[in-house]
């Protein structure tokens, strides 16, 4: 099993920044060293969309909503992934979910609310 705990969400004005963190824990981490972690978001009435992912080897990918403004990074020793969000816009308002794919299983965190005021 695997647990993901997000933190760092909140209310910010447009143009501001936030840093989200996601800490992974669980027995599966002791068995499989290779994984992909990432962030997705879901706004009311919208489908969940990709924000960014990072493989344990360091390769990253970004959704269109994140390119040029958000940066994903990870600390393998701490089993933690970060999402630095800059130049936030009101349309970035959503619940941000941490995701992990390990051994072909998909895990989700409970989500953290990000609200960007205009």
């Amino acid at each position: 099993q695997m647990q993901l705990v997000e933190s760092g969400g909140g209310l910010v004005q447009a143009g501001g920044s936030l840093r989200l963190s996601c800490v992974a824990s669980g027995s599966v981490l002791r068995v499989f060293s290779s994984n992909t972690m990432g962030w997705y978001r879901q706004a009311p009435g919208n489908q969940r969309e990709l924000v960014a992912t990072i493989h344990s080897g360091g390769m990253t990918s970004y959704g269109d909503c994140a390119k040029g403004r958000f940066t994903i990074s990870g600390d393998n020793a701490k089993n933690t992934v970060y999402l630095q969000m800059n130049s936030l816009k009101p349309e970035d308002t959503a619940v941000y979910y941490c995701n992990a794919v390990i051994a072909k299983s998909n895990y989700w965190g409970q989500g953290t609310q990000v609200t960007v005021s205009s």
Side-chain angles (χ1 to χ4, degrees):
Q1 287 297 326
M2 186 172 185
Q3 295 78 42
L4 302 172
V5 178
E6 303 106 331
S7 62
L11 174 64
V12 65
Q13 288 188 334
S17 299
L18 280 175
R19 188 194 196 205
L20 305 183
S21 300
C22 174
V23 180
S25 62
S27 58
V28 67
L29 290 173
R30 295 192 287 272
V31 179
F32 299 98
S33 60
S34 176
N35 63 78
T36 298
M37 293 184 68
W39 294 92
Y40 291 73
R41 71 184 190 184
Q42 187 167 19
N46 291 355
Q47 291 186 333
R48 193 170 295 189
E49 64 174 341
L50 168 70
V51 178
T53 63
I54 184 168
H55 187 264
S56 50
M59 187 169 62
T60 60
S61 65
Y62 292 90
D64 290 340
C65 63
K67 292 178 181 177
R69 299 187 299 128
F70 297 175
T71 302
I72 190 170
S73 60
D75 185 332
N76 288 339
K78 296 181 178 179
N79 292 323
T80 300
V81 63
Y82 306 97
L83 184 68
Q84 178 66 44
M85 303 187 293
N86 298 328
S87 302
L88 284 163
K89 306 173 183 179
E91 50 263 45
D92 294 318
T93 296
V95 178
Y96 285 70
Y97 295 93
C98 182
N99 171 263
V101 179
I102 183 167
K104 298 183 180 180
S105 293
N106 217 358
Y107 301 90
W108 294 94
Q110 80 286 355
T112 185
Q113 177 70 46
V114 171
T115 302
V116 184
S117 63
S118 57

